[in-house]
C-alpha cells in the first residue's frame, strides 16, 4: 500500500455499510502497517477493554484479544455464563456497569440483529464506552469483512473488476451481507450461488445468481459460507439435510477446484464444515487463503480498535 491516508475516527464500529471507500483503504493501510512492523501507537493513558461474546466464537474472540494485547490495552475478562446476565441483567445495564467501572471499549458478539441500536438509543443515557460489533445475528460482521478485504487486496492490489462469488448459506450470513455491501462499493462484480432458496431478494440488488458449475472457472475470488445449522428454523428441512448431497451440489469438490483459474483464491470465514462447503483436502490447498484470513484478522482488528480509540479521543492521538 502506498500513500498515507487520513486516519479513521469512529465513536463505535458497528457496520461496514456506512464506511466510505476512503475509510476502508485507510483501515486496510493501518492493518498493513501493523502487520509489517511491530511498532504500536503510544496512547497517553491506559485503555480498558472487555470482550462480550453471547454467541460462540473461536477466531473472532481470540483474534480481538490478540489485537488488544498487541495494542497494549488492558483486557478485562467477561463471561456471559457467569455474569449477572444470568440474573436477567440487560445488555444495556451490563454495559452501563462496565462504563461506570472504567471500561472504555466493549467488543460484542450477539445473536440479535442490530442489538446495538437499543443500547445506543436509551434516553438520558450515561453510557460512555465505544462499541465494536463482533457479529450481530445475520446482520453484520465488520471485522470479518475487513480481513477478507485485506486478504483480497494482498492478492490483487485492488477490487475493481474482480469477479467474486459468494456461495452457500446466504440467507443466514452476516459475512455475505457485510462483504457484498463493501465489495460492490469497491467495484467488484458479485455473483451468488448455493441452494437457490437461500438467495433472497436482498442479494439480487448486489449481484446475480449463477449455478456453481457455471461460475467456478470464471471467478477470481470464491467466498464459501458455512452452513449455519444453528440458525435453521425449518426442522423438517434441517432433518432432511445431507452433507454429502450439499457437497456434491454446492461444495468445492476436488473436481471443481481443478476447474478454477490458476490464480483464483478461496476464502472461508470459518469454522469450516469439512467435506460440506469444501473438500477437507482443499482447506490448506495452494489456492486456499483460510489460514491467511485468520492471520489478517488480528491486524484489521487492531486498526478497528485504533479507529474507535482515536474517534473517542481517549488515547491522546
Ligand atoms: N469467522 C468467525 O466469525 O469465526 P468464529 O465464529 O469462530 O469467531
Amino acid at each position: 500500500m502506498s500513500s498515507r491516508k487520513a486516519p479513521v475516527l469512529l465513536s463505535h464500529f458497528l457496520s461496514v455499510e456506512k464506511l466510505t471507500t476512503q475509510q476502508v483503504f485507510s483501515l486496510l493501510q493501518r492493518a498493513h502497517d501493523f502487520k509489517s512492523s511491530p511498532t504500536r501507537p503510544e496512547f497517553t493513558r491506559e485503555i480498558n477493554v472487555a470482550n462480550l461474546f453471547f454467541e460462540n466464537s473461536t477466531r473472532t474472540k481470540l483474534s480481538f484479544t490478540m489485537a488488544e494485547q498487541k495494542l497494549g490495552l488492558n483486557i478485562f475478562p467477561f463471561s456471559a455464563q457467569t455474569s449477572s446476565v444470568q440474573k436477567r441483567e440487560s445488555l444495556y445495564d451490563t454495559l452501563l456497569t462496565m462504563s461506570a467501572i472504567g471500561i472504555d471499549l466493549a467488543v460484542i458478539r450477539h445473536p440479535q440483529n442490530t442489538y446495538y441500536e437499543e443500547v445506543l438509543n436509551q434516553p438520558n443515557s450515561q453510557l460512555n464506552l465505544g462499541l465494536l460489533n463482533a457479529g450481530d445475528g445475520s446482520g453484520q460482521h465488520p471485522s470479518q469483512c475487513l480481513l477478507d478485504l485485506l486478504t483480497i487486496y494482498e492478492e490483487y492490489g485492488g477490487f475493481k473488476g474482480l469477479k467474486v462469488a459468494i456461495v452457500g448459506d446466504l440467507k443466514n450470513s452476516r459475512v455475505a451481507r457485510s462483504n457484498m455491501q463493501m465489495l460492490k462499493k469497491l467495484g467488484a462484480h458479485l455473483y451468488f450461488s448455493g441452494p437457490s432458496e437461500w438467495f433472497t431478494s436482498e442479494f439480487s440488488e448486489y449481484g446475480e445468481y449463477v449455478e456453481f458449475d457455471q461460475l467456478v472457472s470464471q471467478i477470481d475470488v470464491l467466498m464459501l459460507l458455512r452452513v449455519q445449522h444453528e440458525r435453521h428454523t425449518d426442522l423438517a428441512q434441517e432433518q432432511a439435510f445431507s452433507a454429502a448431497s450439499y457437497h456434491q451440489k454446492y461444495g468445492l469438490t476436488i473436481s471443481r477446484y481443478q476447474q478454477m483459474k490458476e490464480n483464483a483464491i478461496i476464502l472461508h470465514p470459518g469454522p469450516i464444515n469439512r467435506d460440506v462447503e469444501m473438500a477437507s483436502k482443499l482447506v490448506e490447498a495452494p489456492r486456499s487463503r483460510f489460514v491467511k484470513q485468520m492471520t489478517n484478522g488480528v491486524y484489521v482488528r487492531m486498526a478497528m480498535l485504533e479507529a474507535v480509540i482515536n474517534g473517542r479521543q481517549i488515547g491522546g492521538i
Side-chain angles (χ1 to χ4, degrees), residues 70-91:
K70 282 181 182 283
L71 286 173
L73 312 187
N74 297 330
I75 304 165
F76 286 77
F78 172 85
S79 153
Q81 285 72 35
T82 57
S83 74
S84 288
V85 169
Q86 297 300 330
K87 300 176 206 165
R88 301 195 181 176
E89 187 163 39
S90 68
L91 177 59

Side-chain angles (χ1 to χ4, degrees), residues 74-281:
N74 297 330
I75 304 165
F76 286 77
F78 172 85
S79 153
Q81 285 72 35
T82 57
S83 74
S84 288
V85 169
Q86 297 300 330
K87 300 176 206 165
R88 301 195 181 176
E89 187 163 39
S90 68
L91 177 59
Y92 177 80
D93 285 342
T94 303
L95 293 169
L96 189 61
T97 306
M98 290 186 165
S99 165
I101 289 168
I103 302 288
D104 301 296
L105 303 173
V107 175
I108 305 176
R109 171 170 287 189
H110 201 280
Q112 187 186 314
N113 285 27
T114 62
Y115 65 84
Y116 44 81
E117 283 180 0
E118 201 177 315
V119 169
L120 296 176
N121 292 315
Q122 294 281 331
N124 310 314
S125 177
Q126 292 183 40
L127 186 69
N128 181 22
L129 48 70
L131 301 186
L132 289 100
N133 182 10
D136 61 297
S138 59
Q140 283 273 319
H141 198 339
S143 62
Q144 181 69 46
C145 175
L146 288 172
L147 75 89
D148 291 340
L149 294 182
L150 181 61
T151 309
I152 296 170
Y153 190 91
E154 284 179 346
E155 206 70 36
Y156 292 107
F159 304 94
K160 276 204 171 74
L162 282 183
K163 291 184 173 176
V164 182
I166 308 182
V167 178
D169 195 348
L170 296 164
K171 191 174 158 187
N172 293 298
S173 179
R174 54 193 174 212
V175 177
R177 286 189 176 82
S178 308
N179 270 305
M180 71 185 183
Q181 290 166 357
M182 200 36 78
L183 281 165
K184 185 165 180 190
K185 209 181 255 189
L186 292 166
H189 294 299
L190 288 178
Y191 304 90
F192 297 96
S193 198
S196 55
E197 62 273 23
W198 292 343
F199 176 74
T200 52
S201 56
E202 70 179 298
F203 297 100
S204 56
E205 281 180 46
Y206 292 88
E208 58 178 313
Y209 179 91
V210 181
E211 292 296 336
F212 196 16
D213 284 318
Q214 290 173 33
L215 267 180
V216 79
S217 61
Q218 310 296 321
I219 50 181
D220 304 300
V221 179
L222 172 59
M223 191 177 283
L224 297 167
L225 301 174
R226 181 172 69 88
V227 180
Q228 299 192 41
H229 293 287
E230 73 279 15
R231 296 192 207 280
H232 293 177
T233 48
D234 185 332
L235 285 183
Q237 213 173 52
E238 190 54 14
Q239 276 166 359
F241 180 86
S242 152
S245 161
Y246 183 95
H247 186 59
Q248 279 315 310
K249 285 188 191 156
Y250 312 112
L252 185 65
T253 57
I254 307 278
S255 150
R256 289 190 181 112
Y257 181 85
Q258 286 164 348
Q259 294 168 51
M260 292 180 77
K261 282 188 192 172
E262 199 54 43
N263 64 344
I265 60 168
I266 302 156
L267 307 182
H268 191 303
I272 296 177
N273 293 307
R274 285 176 181 252
D275 293 322
V276 182
E277 297 100 38
M278 70 195 297
S280 187
K281 280 187 183 155

Side-chain angles (χ1 to χ4, degrees), residues 53 55-62 109 134 141 143-144 147 174-175 226 268-271 301:
F53 279 65
E55 261 190 2
N56 296 341
S57 167
T58 297
R59 269 148 293 273
T60 312
K61 189 173 180 187
L62 278 175
R109 171 170 287 189
H141 198 339
S143 62
Q144 181 69 46
L147 75 89
R174 54 193 174 212
V175 177
R226 181 172 69 88
H268 191 303
R301 288 175 176 116

